[in-house]
Amino acid sequence: MQVLAKSTAILQLARAKCGSLCSKHSYCFQVRHLSGSKGWRMRLIQFLTVGDQNGVRVGVEKDGGNVVDLNLFDSSLPRTMKEFLEKGETAMETARRALDCGKHALHHSEITLLPPVTNPDKVVCVGLNYMDHCQEQNVAIPKEPVIFSKFGSSIVGPYSDIIHPAESNEVDWEVELAFVIGKKGKHIKKEAAMDYVAGFTVAHDVSARDWQMKRNGKQWLLDPHNLGIRCRVNQEVMQDSNTNQLIFKTEALVAWVSQSLDGILFGCHDQESLYNWEQGPPVPFVSLHCQ
């Protein structure tokens, strides 16, 4: 993704191939079977076709890289990911059949990729959730998840520009693992938590450090637990960690936050900028690649 030299604190949900928000695989979202009874592994995406930039569609990516248009395979399917997930296992079964069939496949050059999920009811974020990040910042490991939120309207696509606000001069990158809740739940037990997780994706949670640290009360406005997670700025690795460093893992967070939720970002890890801005601005963003 090419971005401006400085970018805004807009949440960017990647598409989950368990790739990154700015890599060629950051557009899809790795799903699992909701009931846990089957080992489904699919990469779901939202997209527009080149000839129709107004009609949102849902697709599933094939191993070869092409995308099966689920709405062409079955015109009764919803045309947004949120509505698709609300259909539960019926929609997932249809996606699996479409993937096995292989018809209605489109090349990536024929589509424009969108965020995997748009307009969620809420985006729940977790701060200080990597052990190495806590150690790097010399802060105590939290005994309970540190929860804050983002606005759903702040989600942009994997190749969309991030607008830099004139009010901030300290904008940082933050690659994070995210998961998407696929069905309603309340007071979810930890042992049942994964039944509510539709899938995983990678997010780029851009932060305005001057607003986070100095203004307005600070910031308060697959084995997914063993994944390498890194951020490259101008091809240089700026963050490199592993989700095995997570303090509160998916099940614990679902149980904790199901007292309210839809999607959760796990928090940032070591080598996060929390850049020392007194040394001057960091290297300008020419390209940003979260993986």
Side-chain angles (χ1 to χ4, degrees), residues 12-16 18-21 175-176 178 201-204 290-291:
Q12 190 156 349
L13 271 185
R15 325 153 264 172
C18 290
S20 82
L21 154 129
V175 58
E176 302 191 8
T201 187
V202 177
H204 178 211
C290 299
Q291 182 175 23

Side-chain angles (χ1 to χ4, degrees), residues 107-146:
H107 190 269
H108 273 275
S109 63
E110 301 177 84
I111 66 176
T112 299
L113 293 161
L114 301 174
V117 181
T118 44
N119 299 317
D121 293 334
K122 59 186 74 71
V123 180
V124 180
C125 305
V126 185
L128 295 174
N129 197 28
Y130 278 78
M131 290 186 212
D132 48 7
H133 180 43
C134 290
Q135 292 164 357
E136 178 188 51
Q137 298 302 318
N138 196 28
V139 297
I141 293 174
K143 292 182 169 53
E144 296 177 339
V146 178

Side-chain angles (χ1 to χ4, degrees), residues 4-272:
L4 305 178
K6 293 182 180 178
S7 44
T8 187
I10 290 181
L11 172 70
Q12 190 156 349
L13 271 185
R15 325 153 264 172
K17 172 181 179 176
C18 290
S20 82
L21 154 129
C22 303
S23 76
K24 65 179 181 179
H25 294 309
S26 60
Y27 46 85
C28 52
F29 133 60
Q30 185 83 33
V31 300
R32 62 187 299 280
H33 193 263
L34 292 182
S35 71
S37 61
K38 298 180 181 179
W40 286 6
R41 297 175 65 86
M42 293 185 290
R43 297 187 295 272
L44 293 176
I45 67 169
Q46 279 189 140
F47 66 95
L48 303 172
T49 59
V50 172
D52 181 9
Q53 291 292 294
N54 295 313
V56 178
R57 309 180 76 82
V58 177
V60 58
E61 189 180 61
K62 300 173 64 176
D63 286 339
N66 289 341
V67 172
V68 175
D69 187 330
L70 294 179
N71 298 114
L72 281 180
F73 179 81
D74 186 341
S75 60
S76 69
L77 282 176
R79 294 172 67 98
T80 69
M81 189 67 69
K82 183 178 177 182
E83 294 172 321
F84 178 89
L85 293 177
E86 287 171 350
K87 292 289 184 181
E89 295 182 10
T90 300
M92 293 294 186
E93 281 280 8
T94 302
R96 170 56 64 190
R97 287 191 288 106
L99 189 60
D100 290 341
C101 176
K103 294 182 179 180
H104 308 296
L106 301 171
H107 190 269
H108 273 275
S109 63
E110 301 177 84
I111 66 176
T112 299
L113 293 161
L114 301 174
V117 181
T118 44
N119 299 317
D121 293 334
K122 59 186 74 71
V123 180
V124 180
C125 305
V126 185
L128 295 174
N129 197 28
Y130 278 78
M131 290 186 212
D132 48 7
H133 180 43
C134 290
Q135 292 164 357
E136 178 188 51
Q137 298 302 318
N138 196 28
V139 297
I141 293 174
K143 292 182 169 53
E144 296 177 339
V146 178
I147 301 297
F148 62 103
S149 62
K150 294 275 186 176
F151 297 106
S153 60
S154 66
I155 298 173
V156 299
Y159 300 114
S160 300
D161 285 341
I162 300 171
I163 301 170
H164 177 257
E167 295 79 9
S168 176
N169 295 310
E170 300 179 6
V171 178
D172 276 347
W173 55 82
E174 293 183 82
V175 58
E176 302 191 8
L177 176 69
F179 63 83
V180 178
I181 294 299
K183 61 182 180 180
K184 293 182 178 179
K186 194 74 172 174
H187 298 295
I188 299 167
K189 301 296 184 185
K190 185 175 177 179
E191 54 271 19
M194 295 305 291
D195 290 342
Y196 292 82
V197 176
F200 292 83
T201 187
V202 177
H204 178 211
D205 178 14
V206 186
S207 293
R209 295 299 181 199
D210 40 4
W211 280 68
Q212 177 190 17
M213 310 301 274
K214 303 171 186 175
R215 302 185 60 173
N216 247 0
K218 300 192 176 179
Q219 69 178 350
W220 307 114
L221 271 168
L222 98 223
D223 175 3
H225 303 133
N226 190 26
L227 296 173
I229 187 163
R230 59 195 61 87
C231 176
R232 294 182 181 89
V233 178
N234 303 340
Q235 306 305 315
E236 180 181 356
V237 176
M238 305 299 290
Q239 296 174 271
D240 191 356
S241 187
N242 192 290
T243 56
N244 61 22
Q245 293 293 306
L246 286 168
I247 299 161
F248 302 104
K249 295 183 170 56
T250 304
E251 297 89 340
L253 292 174
V254 172
W256 178 264
V257 183
S258 65
Q259 305 161 79
S260 80
L261 81 133
D262 285 317
I264 291 181
L265 274 71
F266 283 74
C268 204
H269 47 83
D270 72 327
Q271 298 168 334
E272 174 190 3

